[in-house]
Amino acid sequence: MTPGSIPAPFYLLPPIRLKGQKNNFMKTVPSLLLTLNQNRCMKRSLLFSGIFLCFCFSAFAQVQFRVHLDSSIKRSLTGRLFVYTTTDTARGVPDQPDYRQPMFALNVSNWNSNNVVEVDNNAEAFSLKPSQMKPGYYKTIGIIDANHEERGSFNPGNVYSTRNVLFHVPQEGQTVVDIYLNKEIPERPFPESDSIKLVQLKSDLLSRFHKKDVVMKAGVVLPKAYFEKPGEKFPVVYVIPGWGGSHYNALAQRSRTGYGVGMGLPKIFVFLNPETQTPWGLHAFVDSRVNGPWGKALVEEMIPYIREHFRGATETNKTFVIGQSSGGYPSLWLPLHYPKVFGGSWAVSPDPVDFSAFTGVNLYQKNANFYRAPNGDTLGFFLQNGKYQSTMYDEVKQEQFQGDGGQLQSFEAEFGSLGKNGKPKQLFDRATGNVNPDVVKEWKAYDLGMFIEKNWNRLAQELKGNKIHVFAGSEDNFLLNKAVEAFAEKAKKAGADVTAEIVPGANHFTVWSSPGFLERMHGDMDKKISQ
């Protein structure tokens, strides 16, 4: 997530002209002049009026983007069209949003190369309308998110403009900018090797739930010993990456090193994709009323497949799950709900595991609000070096602009149910921040602090032996350490055999690189493997 944008200066707020609407600004000018003329110093007032008018007309220009679908794109598109701009003309426009720069969006249906889409003041803007752009030079690109099964705009099947268009916004007058979307994003290749393999497994469970074919994806990393001992079966570590991570992490040396691939006894690593075929964000391999039985599909379909096709060990004490952030939550959820399957789990910087501390909000508190603390203070977002870089309101505003699939909607799909509009029920009102108590009630089954407090006696026999490990940094950027602390308190009260620790000085991303952390994790795995 990126920090929120800085609000526009007051003099940039009123647009000069909105296509298809009356010019309200012009209506205000006669009354303004009348007021000024009534001033005792009439000449001075008239002079000021002239300066004011010149300033206003010179501060804004009419900017219109005309977006074309290139004739090489032979299909019609329905989705959310984005126009990104940047004042950094030397570098060009990134293919992902930069909320410090003007950007615009609108939804289009059945768009083809015979039609031109006009993006002007009628489009959604973040946070300046086209007529409010400051004079100067810009570059721009366009992209349409027409892939309705995947989160984010840069996915296979979406179409974008390969050429940055340079344009100038003058002091006054009109600028028309033509953008041509000419490139369809292809499927990303997965180059296999002897030791890294791609798995694409159709899930019968998920296909029945969604009434369409759903495929689970994984990148399998085989140890050197796998080839040296062809008759041997090996322990398996299932990795659930955090936001933005996928099975492609198996291809990246940095990711493999970060999770300790190659440390300790030989193990097969299976990098899972936690956001396959869901428009709402990460399904994260949690059984969900919205996303479907992803946890069950992992346990009953993917794990048996890995054991059969890659000589994965079948014993519980040789089957592990680890994960970071949005992959950390399921790394705790899975062993609590499938205790006979996993011999050990390591949940690192997990998404909120206790909803009494949900990124700084106690969801159970009366009149809970996502934007304001009980004392009325604005809730910050992304804590870094003791200072918030943004606000919760700004982050929600950014997610709303991008459409479906943001982090908050991801939670709503993971923990909640569908509303009448066919989308996950919203935890809180996006305008006011007021939390919906009825939605919180629906979420309670996914509050893992509450879950372990109520269910440990039932789970104790299967989970004894310190199988569950939860870690967060004391400086977690999203305050997730507070949720881990709340979870740890409830686990202790229940007498649960759980390791829940706060790593001093670590933030959301650096727990893995803390001194000795990986060695300790793999050492614990190796002890269990040797039992």
Side-chain angles (χ1 to χ4, degrees):
M1 292 186 181
T2 56
S5 64
I6 300 173
F10 74 92
Y11 57 80
L12 290 180
L13 294 180
I16 276 290
R17 188 180 301 276
L18 193 62
K19 184 177 180 180
Q21 297 185 11
K22 293 182 180 179
N23 192 335
N24 296 325
F25 174 78
M26 293 304 295
K27 286 184 176 181
T28 67
V29 174
S31 60
L32 173 63
L33 289 174
L34 179 61
T35 301
L36 292 171
N37 287 337
Q38 290 173 345
N39 192 290
R40 293 179 183 177
C41 300
M42 184 176 295
K43 291 183 179 179
R44 187 175 179 182
S45 297
L46 288 172
L47 176 62
F48 174 78
S49 300
I51 294 172
F52 179 81
L53 283 171
C54 289
F55 171 77
C56 288
F57 279 103
S58 64
F60 306 120
Q62 295 283 6
V63 181
Q64 181 187 67
F65 299 92
R66 297 192 308 190
V67 188
H68 309 255
L69 192 61
D70 192 83
S71 59
S72 62
I73 307 300
K74 302 299 183 183
R75 61 191 178 97
S76 62
L77 301 175
T78 296
R80 191 162 175 82
L81 175 65
F82 297 94
V83 172
Y84 299 144
T85 73
T86 183
T87 54
D88 188 357
T89 57
R91 299 184 62 183
V93 193
D95 55 34
Q96 299 296 329
D98 179 352
Y99 292 99
R100 298 166 298 181
Q101 303 281 0
M103 60 183 71
F104 317 101
L106 51 80
N107 298 322
V108 298
S109 298
N110 299 316
W111 179 37
N112 58 46
S113 58
N114 295 322
N115 301 313
V116 177
V117 176
E118 295 184 356
V119 179
D120 51 22
N121 276 3
N122 292 308
E124 296 177 47
F126 195 100
S127 55
L128 302 176
K129 291 182 178 295
S131 65
Q132 296 168 332
M133 296 175 70
K134 295 180 180 180
Y137 285 93
Y138 295 78
K139 279 186 177 179
T140 183
I141 62 169
I143 185 168
I144 181 170
D145 183 1
N147 182 337
H148 306 294
E149 290 194 336
E150 304 287 347
R151 173 191 67 84
S153 57
F154 213 78
N155 280 311
N158 295 340
V159 181
Y160 68 105
S161 54
T162 58
R163 185 171 67 89
N164 281 235
V165 178
L166 179 68
F167 68 97
H168 180 252
V169 176
Q171 289 287 342
E172 57 182 285
Q174 186 174 18
T175 295
V176 177
V177 185
D178 288 293
I179 304 172
Y180 290 83
L181 273 57
N182 62 323
K183 178 69 173 179
E184 183 171 340
I185 300 171
E187 286 286 344
R188 181 180 173 186
F190 190 103
E192 294 183 289
S193 66
D194 289 342
S195 60
I196 300 178
K197 301 295 182 181
L198 172 65
V199 171
Q200 298 186 92
L201 175 65
K202 179 186 173 183
S203 167
D204 291 335
L205 287 167
L206 292 165
S207 297
R208 285 197 297 269
F209 180 90
H210 290 285
K211 297 180 175 58
K212 64 179 181 180
D213 287 352
V214 177
V215 176
M216 294 188 289
K217 299 178 182 180
V220 180
V221 181
L222 304 171
K224 183 179 178 181
Y226 184 88
F227 304 98
E228 297 172 343
K229 301 176 181 179
E232 188 172 322
K233 294 185 177 182
F234 291 86
V236 183
V237 180
Y238 292 88
V239 181
I240 307 179
W243 195 266
S246 71
H247 59 298
Y248 287 99
N249 285 32
L251 299 171
Q253 180 62 53
R254 182 176 180 180
S255 293
R256 298 196 299 269
T257 300
Y259 288 108
V261 173
M263 295 184 70
L265 296 175
K267 309 174 190 74
I268 297 170
F269 277 73
V270 179
F271 287 81
L272 299 168
N273 188 331
E275 56 177 287
T276 312
Q277 288 178 264
T278 169
W280 314 125
L282 278 66
H283 57 71
F285 289 94
V286 170
D287 292 336
S288 160
R289 288 163 286 197
V290 175
N291 297 325
W294 279 93
K296 188 175 183 181
L298 171 64
V299 168
E300 296 186 5
E301 295 175 329
M302 178 62 81
I303 289 179
Y305 182 90
I306 296 297
R307 288 173 173 173
E308 178 182 356
H309 291 83
F310 293 97
R311 306 201 320 262
T314 58
E315 298 93 332
T316 297
N317 67 307
K318 295 180 181 179
T319 305
F320 309 101
V321 60
I322 64 177
Q324 159 75 16
S325 191
S326 291
Y329 178 91
S331 298
L332 177 58
W333 186 91
L334 283 164
L336 289 176
H337 289 79
Y338 297 96
K340 295 181 180 181
V341 176
F342 300 97
S345 68
W346 283 260
V348 178
S349 305
D351 281 350
V353 293
D354 192 296
F355 296 166
S356 67
F358 200 94
T359 61
V361 180
N362 182 352
L363 298 186
Y364 305 117
Q365 190 170 46
K366 185 178 180 180
N367 299 322
N369 190 283
F370 232 74
Y371 299 151
R372 299 185 306 277
N375 65 0
D377 289 348
T378 299
L379 290 179
F381 181 84
F382 199 78
L383 187 65
Q384 191 171 27
N385 299 323
K387 184 178 180 180
Y388 287 106
Q389 305 301 301
S390 182
T391 67
M392 290 297 295
Y393 177 81
D394 286 334
E395 294 305 310
V396 173
K397 183 182 176 184
Q398 291 177 14
E399 285 201 11
Q400 291 289 95
F401 177 80
Q402 284 299 307
D404 292 324
Q407 177 70 80
L408 292 169
Q409 191 181 57
S410 176
F411 291 144
E412 291 164 342
E414 191 174 354
F415 306 140
S417 61
L418 285 176
K420 293 180 180 179
N421 63 354
K423 295 186 177 185
K425 293 179 184 177
Q426 293 187 340
L427 172 65
F428 62 95
D429 186 287
R430 295 306 198 255
T432 66
N434 293 331
V435 173
N436 186 335
D438 293 333
V439 174
V440 174
K441 289 179 182 177
E442 288 189 352
W443 283 30
K444 278 187 175 181
Y446 294 87
D447 181 328
L448 300 184
M450 188 178 292
F451 182 88
I452 202 167
E453 193 173 33
K454 291 182 177 179
N455 294 282
W456 179 255
N457 288 338
R458 175 177 61 86
L459 298 170
Q461 185 61 32
E462 295 292 346
L463 292 177
K464 67 181 180 180
N466 193 28
K467 293 182 178 181
I468 294 176
H469 309 79
V470 190
F471 297 89
S474 63
E475 309 299 322
D476 189 277
N477 307 88
F478 308 103
L479 305 182
L480 299 175
N481 53 309
K482 301 299 182 183
V484 170
E485 289 170 3
F487 171 84
E489 185 176 336
K490 292 182 175 68
K492 182 178 180 181
K493 183 179 179 181
D497 189 5
V498 168
T499 295
E501 295 182 11
I502 303 300
V503 180
N507 63 28
H508 184 71
F509 310 97
T510 59
V511 174
W512 295 96
S513 58
S514 298
F517 181 82
L518 283 175
E519 290 81 0
R520 176 184 171 187
M521 182 180 74
H522 282 276
D524 287 344
M525 284 186 191
D526 292 349
K527 288 178 183 177
K528 296 181 184 301
I529 292 169
S530 302
Q531 289 176 353

